[in-house]
Amino acid sequence: MSTDHPSITPELAAKIERLDTLLDSIAARHTRVKLASSLAAEDMLLTHAILSRGVAIGVFSLNTGRLHAETLGMIDRVRERYGYEIEQFHPQQDAIDEYVAQNGLNAFYESIDLRKRCCEIRKVEPLNRALSDVSAWVTGQRREQSVTRAELHEEEHDGARNIAKFNPLADWTEVDVWAYLQAFDVPVNPLHARGYPSIGCEPCTRAIRPGEDSRAGRWWWESRDTKECGLHITTIPIAVSTESASA
């Protein structure tokens, strides 16, 4: 992939080369592997890196039933740009109906337990189904995003599902991400231009204020150290060297 663009510094060019090498290595090591895409900036970067080069990594998204219209629209934009149909996984309707009947549609505002139960129904259970036939998955997580991700490793073991987990953008900065997106004209969620660096379900996401970290708009009514939904909390770090990534 050409890195001859004004926004790409030599340092970023090296990160892009490593990213491409790592994605190729992941696909070579695992016959079944998927990218879990939130359809936000980091995952669109990875989607481009995978689909534009024909890397054998599938892409899926969790359609929680409460996403912004702009987020859902990204599925069409991926189809138009890359000719690829992102696989969508939906929550079980009976579990949603039971939660709403017992607690109310927006009960997640009332307590962390009710919020995590909603995330479990709308995100974690569908994710488990999405990953039931793979030996590895890929995410767009970065260390810089929040305090809960400060110790993020490039490769981990997902103990809950007993599969490998890769975070290829772990050491990328927000500046790196947007320089890449600009250089390769990657489609991006229009909510980013409205102050949403991190995008989840509509009622649980707001635009951030100046000086806030990129995930401050997620579950903004909670403290900083509880802002995960259960998708990324069961991992064991694995040290990965540059040599092993290119093997």
Side-chain angles (χ1 to χ4, degrees), residues 30-227:
H30 298 275
T31 56
R32 289 286 292 169
V33 55
K34 296 177 181 177
L35 165 67
S37 174
S38 67
L39 304 166
E42 288 82 1
D43 295 325
M44 290 306 301
L45 186 164
L46 291 172
T47 296
H48 179 84
I50 291 167
L51 298 183
S52 66
R53 298 189 307 112
V55 182
I57 296 177
V59 183
F60 73 90
S61 188
L62 304 177
N63 188 335
T64 66
R66 306 218 54 184
L67 299 178
H68 298 79
E70 293 88 345
T71 299
L72 293 173
M74 294 304 298
I75 293 173
D76 295 331
R77 295 183 67 184
V78 169
R79 184 190 307 113
E80 294 164 1
R81 172 69 178 273
Y82 305 102
Y84 184 88
E85 191 69 40
I86 291 179
E87 187 176 15
Q88 297 184 63
F89 286 84
H90 298 77
Q92 302 285 0
Q93 190 60 49
D94 57 348
I96 292 176
D97 292 343
E98 181 180 1
Y99 177 91
V100 172
Q102 292 180 354
N103 306 294
L105 180 63
N106 295 326
F108 42 80
Y109 292 127
E110 299 174 12
S111 72
I112 292 176
D113 286 342
L114 285 172
R115 195 272 292 168
K116 289 186 174 180
R117 176 56 182 155
C118 186
C119 288
E120 181 181 346
I121 292 169
R122 293 185 182 272
K123 300 177 74 173
V124 178
E125 190 279 329
L127 179 73
N128 290 341
R129 278 188 279 118
L131 299 178
S132 63
D133 61 347
V134 303
S135 61
W137 63 304
V138 179
T139 88
Q141 294 185 103
R142 296 185 295 108
R143 296 185 191 117
E144 188 186 65
Q145 288 172 324
S146 69
V147 294
T148 61
R149 297 180 178 180
E151 303 300 321
L152 188 69
H153 287 251
E154 194 172 76
E155 180 176 352
E156 302 170 319
H157 178 72
D158 184 335
R161 303 171 186 91
N162 195 30
I163 61 177
K165 179 179 179 182
F166 296 91
N167 309 299
L169 303 180
D171 66 343
W172 283 51
T173 67
E174 184 176 358
V175 171
D176 292 335
V177 170
W178 284 96
Y180 182 106
L181 295 171
Q182 178 185 3
F184 298 108
D185 192 28
V186 180
V188 295
N189 193 318
L191 289 173
H192 290 306
R194 303 178 203 164
Y196 290 75
S198 180
I199 302 169
C201 290
E202 184 171 15
C204 297
T205 310
R206 64 160 173 80
I208 66 170
R209 303 181 183 95
E212 290 184 319
D213 71 54
S214 64
R215 285 177 62 82
R218 303 291 297 277
W219 309 296
W220 66 90
W221 61 93
E222 296 182 10
S223 66
R224 295 176 67 193
D225 59 358
T226 65
K227 293 187 176 186

Side-chain angles (χ1 to χ4, degrees), residues 8-15:
I8 296 183
T9 64
E11 292 79 10
L12 180 54
K15 287 185 178 181

